[in-house]
Amino acid sequence: MKNYKLFIVTIFLISIASFGQNGPLREHFKEKKEKIKALKVAFITTELNLTPDEAAKFWPLFNAFEDRQQEIKKQKLKAYLERTDGSSIDNLSEKEAATLLTQMESTEDELFQLKKKFVSNLKGILPSTKILKLKKAEEQFSKKLLQQYRDKKIGG
């Protein structure tokens, strides 16, 4: 679970960094992001074995959830980076650190509430077993992606 969170933060940081880049590097990251998204869609589709009716209702909901989740993370990370302003956390006053921690907790709660609403909406579309399979499929996909990244990094 620790590696999963680290992976998500890393991917998120790379995504944020790519927004500030111009030219070929930005396009490269955009292409990679789209490729990963397509692979994730294919993986989830296979794992959930959605009916055409389920898929028609599921994907718009899932995509909106993913977009909102990324938006929250991007907005909050940007605020976090601006607060630390390139300085070390050790240079923050106790009051600044407490404020930052409160903001981080608020972000986590906002993401939790978003996930809770998403699952609630899914209950009207998918059977509970498929909702559980979705959670498992997302975790498996992240592990698979992380392993491929590690293999590529180690292998050359």
Side-chain angles (χ1 to χ4, degrees):
M1 189 62 157
K2 197 174 193 181
N3 286 340
Y4 175 73
K5 287 182 180 180
L6 179 63
F7 173 71
I8 296 300
V9 169
T10 302
I11 291 296
F12 185 65
L13 289 173
I14 290 170
S15 297
I16 294 300
S18 70
F19 285 110
Q21 301 291 328
N22 290 324
L25 185 58
R26 184 176 185 187
E27 286 301 314
H28 174 74
F29 279 119
K30 189 176 182 180
E31 288 172 17
K32 289 282 187 185
K33 186 177 174 184
E34 290 300 317
K35 183 177 179 183
I36 290 170
K37 186 175 183 175
L39 290 170
K40 185 175 183 178
V41 167
F43 188 81
I44 289 172
T45 299
T46 301
E47 292 298 308
L48 295 185
N49 194 25
L50 298 171
T51 67
D53 185 50
E54 288 172 337
K57 294 174 184 172
F58 170 78
W59 286 112
L61 190 62
F62 181 83
N63 290 333
F65 166 73
E66 290 265 298
D67 291 346
R68 180 65 183 133
Q69 191 174 36
Q70 288 301 317
E71 182 183 311
I72 291 168
K73 289 178 181 179
K74 179 182 172 187
Q75 175 187 7
K76 302 303 178 174
L77 181 62
K78 184 178 178 184
Y80 170 77
L81 293 174
E82 287 172 357
R83 289 280 288 160
T84 56
D85 197 26
S87 63
S88 170
I89 292 175
D90 294 331
N91 296 334
L92 293 174
S93 70
E94 184 60 30
K95 184 178 179 181
E96 290 171 324
T99 300
L100 197 52
L101 188 57
T102 300
Q103 289 172 347
M104 291 170 70
E105 290 169 341
S106 174
T107 299
E108 289 299 318
D109 186 53
E110 191 174 352
L111 290 169
F112 174 74
Q113 293 303 324
L114 179 67
K115 181 79 169 185
K116 198 172 169 181
K117 182 179 177 186
F118 173 63
V119 170
S120 177
N121 290 338
L122 283 180
K123 288 179 181 177
I125 298 171
L126 300 175
S128 296
T129 54
K130 286 190 180 183
I131 296 171
L132 292 173
K133 284 181 181 180
L134 171 63
K135 174 74 172 150
K136 185 177 178 183
E138 287 179 300
E139 289 172 2
Q140 287 175 327
F141 181 79
S142 294
K143 284 180 186 178
K144 185 176 176 183
L145 193 61
L146 182 58
Q147 188 59 50
Q148 287 178 353
Y149 174 77
R150 285 180 182 157
D151 292 346
K152 185 176 180 181
K153 188 126 176 134
I154 293 169

